Amino acid sequence: MSYISEVIEMTERKNPGEPEFMQTVREVLGTLAPAVEQNEEVLRKNCILERMVEPDRQIIFRVPWTDDKGVNHVNRGFRVQFNNAIGPYKGGLRFQPNVNLSVMKFLAFEQTFKNSLTGLPMGGGKGGSDFDPAGKSDAEIMRFCYSFMMELYRHIGPDVDVPAGDMGVGAREIGYLFGAYKKIRGAYENGVLTGKGLSFGGSLIRPEATGYGATYFFKEVLEHLGDSIEGKTFCLSGFGNVAWGAALKIDALGGKVVTLSGPDGYIYDPDGVKGEKIDYMLEMRASGRNVVKDYADKYGCEFVAGKKPWGNVAADVYMPCAMQNEIRIEDAKAMVANGIKYLNEVSNMPTTNEALTYLQANGVIVAPSKAVNAGGVAVSGLEMSQNSGRLAWTEKEVDDKLQFIMKGIHSQIISALSAYGMDYNLVAGANLAGFKKVADAMIAQGLN
Ligand code: 2IT
């Protein structure tokens, strides 16, 4: 049996009941054959694949908190510190009812490769809780964040592990989490978390970074193929911070966003989500209602309940900005039938492995999330640099660095593909490039 198959089988055996984690392990390891074949003896001797699929540690803890009526609740908290071969663990915190160990491990595993691609010294980690922020008061959110940090603080630090936001964790939550950390430790400690408010060490462009970076990366893809964003139509899902940043940059570069989605369905706006309509996305998010229908009611466009845009709306580019596994095989088939040419994945692992294989086999260019959405964590890395240097870079300084990093990710993918004599397969290229750097660092540092 091949080394890769052996490790996939072993991982399956050791992690029963973890479908999301196994999905990403299969997807990533399934593309590493060219690298493994070239260097199998060294990789086997150093147990590189075995160590890459085993997190350094997985922390699970109790998070008790009291609601506004005085009723007590208990949630489960997580921090998975997956790999710190190239730098301190780095990755977001997600508060969502469907958070479990499998979801945390898939995100932390992806994060290790993604962070490697940014070129910045950051390892991979992820955390969060099955806490549901929907409908909670500000005071409840604060009490939950304080309780969460009562345990998390002992596992993190500016040279150890630097958390940030993810779904359900935005600027407000980061503020409370940082406040709790600072109170417990009695020190600023280079800001510890990223995504902080501007008044206490946050970076300009961090809120926009994931969506901007995703658009910059896609611009590189199109330029490579002799095409451009100008005049293209985009279907987005989600209407949160990431979709907002993407809509801003797509609009600025002459593209047109025609859909957004929420848990309630999707809106179709053939005139384009632009100008004040983009600002309205922030209002919808701030309302806490978590429905996208409000947009259709306000601007008089079509709302389709209970569906995603995938396959239902014709466009040049699909950009999922919401969830894992939002594009399944039936969506992939409808996309191909509708002549979709590009899938620019923004949310982490938005496509099932079956759908991904089908899309690639049918000529759809798939840009993988670990490259596309790396601008978010990249600007988090820039926030860390500013905090440790006591610096505050201008918007232009950060944006220029972000563009440089996104260009660099695309060119690393091209180099990896050409090193192995492969065609333009962004999914394989991103995995191979991310893998090489982490593997080299692990080999250099010995068996640990
Ligand atoms: O998935 C991601 O890369 C994030 N949620 C951002 C992580 C970070 O540390 O900024």
Side-chain angles (χ1 to χ4, degrees):
M1 203 194 291
S2 78
Y3 182 28
I4 289 175
S5 306
E6 274 173 41
V7 173
I8 291 177
E9 238 179 53
M10 176 205 73
T11 315
E12 178 87 59
R13 214 168 43 242
K14 286 191 182 179
N15 301 281
E18 297 190 4
E20 292 85 0
F21 177 53
M22 282 315 302
Q23 183 180 332
T24 183
V25 167
R26 285 178 193 286
E27 189 269 304
V28 172
L29 267 55
T31 61
L32 298 182
V36 170
E37 279 158 20
Q38 218 173 63
N39 207 13
E40 181 157 346
E41 208 184 306
V42 174
L43 295 173
R44 272 193 188 265
K45 175 168 161 272
N46 287 280
C47 298
I48 291 300
L49 293 183
E50 293 89 332
R51 288 197 284 146
M52 264 192 188
V53 297
E54 188 67 37
D56 289 357
R57 63 194 64 77
Q58 310 170 46
I59 301 150
I60 304 182
F61 52 98
R62 181 174 64 233
V63 189
W65 60 281
T66 305
D67 71 20
D68 289 344
K69 298 195 183 92
V71 179
N72 296 329
H73 303 267
V74 178
N75 282 95
R76 184 170 280 189
F78 298 89
R79 187 72 183 170
V80 175
Q81 298 179 330
F82 218 111
N83 188 304
N84 68 353
I86 66 170
Y89 306 107
K90 178 86 197 86
L93 299 170
R94 176 177 291 191
F95 291 170
Q96 204 174 50
N98 66 9
V99 160
N100 57 39
L101 186 60
S102 172
V103 169
M104 295 285 100
K105 280 168 75 176
F106 116 65
L107 288 163
F109 184 77
E110 283 283 295
Q111 198 82 44
T112 302
F113 288 78
K114 180 197 310 190
N115 292 3
S116 159
L117 289 170
T118 65
L120 302 173
M122 301 182 290
K126 202 85 188 190
S129 174
D130 59 0
F131 173 73
D132 186 0
K136 301 291 188 296
S137 73
D138 210 61
E140 288 171 330
I141 297 283
M142 184 176 79
R143 285 195 294 275
F144 181 82
C145 288
Y146 269 57
S147 180
F148 187 84
M149 191 53 86
M150 286 272 278
E151 171 63 33
L152 188 68
Y153 87 93
R154 70 186 72 243
H155 307 291
I156 64 174
D159 288 317
V160 179
D161 184 351
V162 182
D166 194 271
M167 294 159 78
V169 179
R172 173 179 63 165
E173 290 74 17
I174 293 293
Y176 293 147
L177 289 162
F178 177 68
Y181 182 89
K182 198 191 59 181
K183 182 79 182 169
I184 297 166
R185 300 293 285 234
Y188 181 78
E189 302 216 319
N190 289 339
V192 194
L193 299 141
T194 61
K196 295 183 294 297
L198 279 179
S199 58
F200 53 101
S203 177
L204 288 164
I205 303 288
R206 180 64 190 89
E208 293 87 348
T210 309
Y212 276 21
T215 312
Y216 293 146
F217 185 82
F218 188 58
K219 186 166 162 275
E220 294 302 309
V221 171
L222 290 177
E223 274 169 20
H224 179 82
L225 299 169
D227 204 344
S228 85
I229 288 184
E230 183 84 46
K232 289 217 162 24
T233 49
F234 290 75
C235 276
L236 270 53
S237 63
F239 68 96
N241 159 266
V242 173
W244 165 78
L248 278 173
K249 193 48 76 178
I250 290 167
D251 182 44
L253 297 179
K256 186 158 86 169
V257 173
V258 294
T259 68
L260 300 172
S261 78
D264 54 332
Y266 74 88
I267 62 99
Y268 175 56
D269 184 352
D271 294 335
V273 180
K274 54 184 183 232
E276 68 148 85
K277 295 172 176 175
I278 301 179
D279 302 336
Y280 184 64
M281 291 169 75
L282 294 177
E283 256 181 69
M284 278 198 295
R285 178 56 57 193
S287 80
R289 287 163 45 75
N290 205 16
V291 291
V292 79
K293 183 172 179 294
D294 291 354
Y295 181 102
D297 292 343
K298 186 168 168 74
Y299 296 110
C301 69
E302 189 183 350
F303 169 71
V304 179
K307 288 202 169 136
K308 291 262 179 186
W310 320 136
N312 296 311
V313 180
D316 299 303
V317 190
Y318 275 8
M319 265 175 71
C321 300
M323 273 289 279
Q324 66 266 18
N325 289 332
E326 49 177 313
I327 297 180
R328 296 172 177 273
I329 186 67
E330 56 278 13
D331 305 311
K333 287 184 176 160
M335 285 165 67
V336 169
N338 260 335
I340 307 303
K341 290 198 226 34
Y342 300 101
L343 173 61
N344 196 40
E345 295 187 339
V346 191
S347 43
N348 290 306
M349 197 171 75
T351 315
T352 65
N353 289 349
E354 193 188 2
L356 179 60
T357 306
Y358 182 87
L359 290 170
Q360 288 190 306
N362 284 280
V364 176
I365 300 283
V366 181
S369 54
K370 64 174 70 66
V372 175
N373 74 26
V377 73
V379 173
S380 276
L382 300 178
E383 182 172 334
M384 291 164 72
S385 305
Q386 292 172 79
N387 292 166
S388 59
R390 304 285 188 263
L391 302 165
W393 292 333
T394 64
E395 197 170 314
K396 180 165 186 323
E397 283 174 300
V398 179
D399 197 18
D400 285 350
K401 287 181 170 63
L402 171 61
Q403 290 183 55
F404 181 81
I405 289 168
M406 298 316 294
K407 260 184 201 295
I409 295 175
H410 189 262
S411 50
Q412 278 180 75
I413 293 175
I414 298 292
S415 310
L417 291 171
S418 80
Y420 299 113
M422 294 168 70
D423 295 338
Y424 194 61
N425 177 342
L426 292 159
V427 174
N431 290 337
L432 287 161
F435 172 75
K436 181 159 189 341
K437 184 172 168 190
V438 177
D440 287 351
M442 290 171 76
I443 292 167
Q445 293 170 34
L447 192 70
N448 65 67

